[in-house]
């Protein structure tokens, strides 16, 4: 699998997508920082009109714990799109560029190729989660947010990383959609459907046991009136992730590759 | 030794029978060309040889290995190019080859060797998205040849190449077969090129392998039966009704190239007399060597029952 991993990393390094996703996560951290800046001074929030009102509606508190929570929520929602985009690009581009056929009759197995793609997606997504955490620390320090303690920072960063891990786990479904759909379109449609379902089910109060909603509920998107997901919720996320991975590997191994 | 052994292979996609009970063998060192119209089943058969599509019935063996899901022992010795060359557009020519080299697990020096062999030196550091179609095709061939395969499976290998490139690839394939014993299985629409390079030719139509021949066989396929009658329309209709495919010459004569007409002109005479259109002339002519294009069109036309007398 090492050689397949090398090949996937080269393709990623030469593409624009790492810069696009890193830029998008930077914007997310900066917008979170802007919210904190506004919330730090209630008078400033009132003077900013609509933006101030929106900021107050977010329910976040202007301190370190609040900022990390906001960033975790950003990872839960934005991650479906950005982590999803990474997976969809890794798999879908092989069909859009018609390069998949070059990967099918090689001494390197198709399973190794697929696992290498998932490994790159996981590494890339982890790097983005670390990036948003580091940016959070820098922006929080710049704003001189109250409530700092090493324990608060560790808990906040852990929440961001776990939310990212949960979200990335669910993106295996997009890999299957990009493969079976032989391109980007079906996978992007699946991403939008997942995001919609996750929001609706969470809003109905069932988010802690609906796998697609679990990352958001864990990150606090459901507010204080929703219970955090328990072991069943986390297990269901793992189950969906494993099912997506197995389905993708099986499809690459067994499907008729006719396009 | 048999490099490719296809035994009773069929492939069905829903209601469409793309390949219908095809059996063929390609010996080591042969250059076997598969000819057929668009949609005849060439690419589906090639995909089954490479394990990209799975036969509905029958068995495919490549270099002794039965091609089935998960089986990949043959691929280290097989190079291929299916349905046009492709490359990662953001990578350079060298990087594209490097990706293939890594996935094939072969030595680093092979990349420079193949770049020289396919005359890609001037483009080695150019991104694939900026290559011309001809150079992209060269890159595709370079990937297929990178590991010095014992078997090359090439679908339209000279697509997009200029005439000099076509000659170059033809020479390369012939050299590989002659000097290194490489087996080549190819499909092409360039019949003149196929006739020059192939040692055996298969014609596929409607998913069925309808004929196999060697270019030498074309020497014997130049005979035709020329006949005339007072009632040409009636004679033509009678011939068509009996499964012949008469063509009308400018001088009004009817020409039959079907083997059974050429072999048994007396049967044709009997048929015409019985139809009330007795022949006024009936002669078997030797037209000499038939080119592959004429042969292909004749065989395919005959399969399609093409009414070609007008």
């Amino acid at each position: 699998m090492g050689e397949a991993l090398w090949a996937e990393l080269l393709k990623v390094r030469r593409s624009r997508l790492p810069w696009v996703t890193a830029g998008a996560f930077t914007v997310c951290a900066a917008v979170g920082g802007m919210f904190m800046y506004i919330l730090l001074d209630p008078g400033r929030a009132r003077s900013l009109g609509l933006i101030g009102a929106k900021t107050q509606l977010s329910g976040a508190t202007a301190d370190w714990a609040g900022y990390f929570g906001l960033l975790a929520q950003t990872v839960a929602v934005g991650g479906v799109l950005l982590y999803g985009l990474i997976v969809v690009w890794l798999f879908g581009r092989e069909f859009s560029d018609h390069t998949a056929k070059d990967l099918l009759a090689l001494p390197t197995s198709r399973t190794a190729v697929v696992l290498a793609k998932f490994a790159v997606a996981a590494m890339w997504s982890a790097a983005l989660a670390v990036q948003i955490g580091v940016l959070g620390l820098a922006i929080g320090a710049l704003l001189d947010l109250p409530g700092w303690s090493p324990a608060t920072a560790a808990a906040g960063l852990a929440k961001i990383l776990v939310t990212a891990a949960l979200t990335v786990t669910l993106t295996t479904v997009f890999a299957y959609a990009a493969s079976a759909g032989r391109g980007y379109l079906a996978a992007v449609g699946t991403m939008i459907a997942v995001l919609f379902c996750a929001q609706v089910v969470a809003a109905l109060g069932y988010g802690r046991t609906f796998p697609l909603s679990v990352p958001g509920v864990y990150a606090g998107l459901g507010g204080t009136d929703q219970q955090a997901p328990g072991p069943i919720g986390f297990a269901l996320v793992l189950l969906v992730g494993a099912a997506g991975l197995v389905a993708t590997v099986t499809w690459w191994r067994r499907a008729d590759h006719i396009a | 030794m048999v490099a490719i052994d296809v035994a009773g292979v069929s492939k069905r996609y829903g209601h469409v029978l793309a390949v219908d009970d095809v059996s063929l063998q390609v010996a080591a060192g042969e250059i076997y060309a598969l000819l057929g119209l668009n949609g005849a089943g060439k690419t589906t058969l090639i995909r089954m040889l490479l394990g990209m599509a799975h036969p509905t019935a029958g068995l495919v063996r490549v270099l002794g290995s039965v091609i089935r899901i998960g089986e990949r022992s043959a691929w280290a010795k097989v190079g291929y190019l299916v349905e046009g060359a492709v490359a990662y557009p953001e990578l350079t020519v060298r990087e594209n080859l490097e990706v293939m080299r890594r996935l094939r697990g072969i030595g680093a020096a092979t990349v420079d060797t193949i770049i020289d062999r396919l005359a890609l030196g001037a483009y080695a550091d150019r991104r694939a998205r900026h290559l011309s179609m001809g150079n992209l095709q060269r890159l595709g061939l370079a990937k297929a040849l990178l590991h010095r395969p014992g078997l090359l499976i090439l679908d339209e290998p000279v697509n997009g190449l200029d005439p000099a490139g076509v000659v170059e690839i033809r020479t390369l394939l012939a050299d590989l077969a002659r000097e290194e014993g490489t087996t080549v299985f190819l499909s092409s629409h360039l019949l003149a090129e196929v006739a020059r390079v192939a040692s055996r030719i298969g014609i596929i139509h409607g998913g069925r392998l309808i004929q196999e021949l060697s270019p030498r066989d074309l020497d014997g396929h130049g005979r035709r039966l020329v006949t005339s009658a007072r009632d040409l329309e009636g004679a033509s209709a009678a011939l068509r009704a009996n499964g012949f495919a008469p063509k009308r010459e400018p001088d009004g004569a009817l020409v039959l190239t079907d083997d059974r007409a050429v072999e048994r002109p007396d049967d044709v005479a009997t048929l015409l007399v019985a139809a009330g259109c007795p022949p006024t002339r009936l002669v078997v002519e030797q037209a000499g060597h038939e080119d592959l294009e004429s042969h292909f069109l004749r065989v395919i036309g005959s399969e399609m029952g093409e009414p070609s007398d007008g």
Side-chain angles (χ1 to χ4, degrees):
Chain A
M1 192 177 125
E3 300 297 355
L5 193 59
W6 182 92
E8 292 304 323
L9 284 170
L10 176 67
K11 288 185 248 176
V12 167
R13 273 188 2 238
R14 292 285 183 269
S15 78
R16 292 194 187 99
L17 206 56
W19 300 108
V20 171
T21 50
F25 264 37
T26 303
V27 169
C28 289
V31 170
M34 188 184 78
F35 271 41
M36 291 297 118
Y37 175 71
I38 294 167
L39 286 170
L40 276 170
D41 180 357
R44 190 183 293 144
R46 278 192 296 277
S47 69
L48 284 171
L50 193 61
I51 294 176
K54 288 260 185 197
T55 306
Q56 286 179 317
L57 276 175
S58 72
T61 52
D63 55 19
W64 277 99
Y67 186 37
F68 281 129
L70 198 61
L71 291 180
Q73 290 168 25
T74 305
V75 168
V77 178
V80 172
L81 294 174
L82 290 172
Y83 296 151
L85 195 64
I86 292 167
V87 168
V88 169
W89 181 80
L90 281 165
F91 285 89
R93 66 87 41 95
E94 303 290 358
F95 300 95
S96 296
D97 291 333
H98 304 287
T99 43
K101 61 194 176 194
D102 276 4
L103 302 172
L104 299 175
L106 297 172
T108 299
S109 72
R110 297 178 194 179
T111 303
V113 170
V114 172
L115 292 180
K117 286 181 181 292
F118 278 125
V120 168
M123 286 190 273
W124 187 351
S125 302
L128 288 173
V130 169
Q131 179 206 339
I132 204 166
V134 169
L135 280 173
L137 285 172
I139 291 170
L142 202 69
L143 293 173
D144 197 20
L145 289 174
W148 166 265
S149 75
T152 306
L157 289 173
K159 190 163 212 170
I160 290 171
L161 293 177
V162 172
T163 305
L166 291 169
T167 311
V168 170
T169 302
L170 293 172
T171 60
T172 58
V173 175
F174 308 145
Y176 175 72
S179 301
R182 294 189 167 93
Y184 300 116
L185 201 59
V188 170
T190 307
M191 273 166 53
I192 292 167
V194 162
L195 205 55
F196 178 77
C197 290
Q199 299 294 317
V200 170
V201 175
L204 292 173
Y206 301 108
R208 66 190 297 263
T209 51
F210 184 63
L212 305 181
S213 307
V214 164
V217 174
Y218 172 79
L221 268 173
T224 49
D225 54 335
Q226 282 217 21
Q227 281 184 301
I232 292 175
F234 294 126
L236 287 172
V237 170
L238 283 177
L239 197 67
V240 170
L245 189 145
V246 170
T248 309
V249 169
T250 305
W251 187 89
W252 275 74
R253 278 170 55 84
R254 303 187 74 93
D256 278 331
H257 295 269
I258 52 171
Chain B
M1 185 200 159
V2 176
I4 294 175
D5 183 7
V6 176
V9 162
S10 298
K11 180 66 187 178
R12 184 179 284 281
Y13 295 111
H15 296 297
V16 178
L17 189 57
V19 172
D20 182 7
D21 194 23
V22 168
S23 294
L24 64 87
Q25 289 194 331
V26 180
E30 258 193 310
I31 299 182
Y32 188 102
L34 191 63
L35 306 181
L37 301 175
N38 289 337
K42 302 186 297 292
T43 300
T44 301
L45 183 60
I46 284 177
R47 284 183 180 272
M48 286 193 285
L49 294 181
L50 291 164
M52 296 177 186
H54 311 297
T56 311
L59 204 65
V60 174
R61 273 196 184 82
V62 171
L63 300 175
S65 301
V66 175
I67 303 306
R68 57 167 80 97
I69 291 166
E71 170 62 45
R72 56 179 204 280
S73 56
W75 302 147
K77 294 172 231 153
V78 176
Y80 65 93
L81 176 62
V82 179
E83 277 191 306
V86 292
Y88 295 108
E90 72 276 19
L91 303 187
T92 65
V93 166
R94 186 183 298 281
E95 285 170 339
N96 268 287
L97 290 167
E98 191 63 27
V99 165
M100 190 51 69
R101 180 189 77 74
R102 295 266 187 163
L103 293 175
R104 288 201 168 278
I106 52 175
T110 52
V111 169
D112 286 326
T113 307
I114 203 67
I115 282 175
D116 287 344
R117 190 165 197 180
L118 271 295
L120 282 165
Y123 312 99
D125 297 315
R126 185 177 292 187
R127 291 192 182 210
R129 72 161 57 93
H130 300 306
L131 291 179
S132 66
M133 193 177 167
N135 282 326
L136 191 61
Q137 190 74 3
R138 278 174 195 276
L139 175 55
L141 284 165
K143 287 195 282 185
L145 292 165
L146 184 65
H147 53 302
R148 300 175 78 91
L151 170 62
L152 266 174
I153 298 176
L154 306 172
D155 193 6
E156 301 290 348
V158 293
N159 250 7
L161 294 178
D162 56 29
V166 171
V167 173
E168 191 185 325
I169 297 305
R170 182 215 307 156
T171 308
L172 176 68
L173 295 180
D175 288 351
L176 283 170
R178 191 177 55 246
E179 293 165 13
E180 300 183 19
T182 307
T183 310
V184 182
F185 184 96
L186 63 91
S187 78
S188 179
H189 285 122
L190 296 180
L191 302 187
E193 284 307 312
V194 166
R196 283 194 181 98
V197 76
S199 51
R200 210 145 56 88
I201 296 162
I203 297 178
I204 189 168
H205 182 69
R208 288 184 303 116
L209 187 67
I210 56 175
Q211 192 176 66
E212 284 186 297
L213 70 155
S214 82
R216 280 192 309 278
D217 296 336
L218 292 173
D219 290 334
H221 278 80
R223 291 192 302 162
R224 59 187 207 154
L225 178 71
V226 182
T227 185
S228 302
R230 291 189 204 287
D231 179 8
L232 270 176
E233 290 301 325
S236 179
L239 289 168
R240 280 205 308 275
N242 282 276
F244 293 102
K247 285 183 185 174
R248 189 176 292 183
E249 293 283 272
D251 63 359
L254 295 174
V255 174
L256 301 167
T257 50
D258 315 62
D259 287 344
R260 67 187 175 111
V262 173
E263 297 299 326
R264 302 292 301 271
D266 47 330
D267 285 355
V268 174
T270 308
L271 185 161
L272 290 174
V273 170
C277 318
T280 54
R281 179 183 170 216
L282 191 75
V283 60
V284 175
E285 292 181 347
Q286 186 67 40
H289 179 83
E290 184 183 32
D291 65 34
L292 181 58
E293 187 173 282
S294 306
H295 181 82
F296 174 75
L297 293 174
R298 179 168 62 77
V299 170
I300 293 292
S302 167
E303 275 295 312
M304 295 169 82
E306 190 177 75
S308 50
D309 61 335

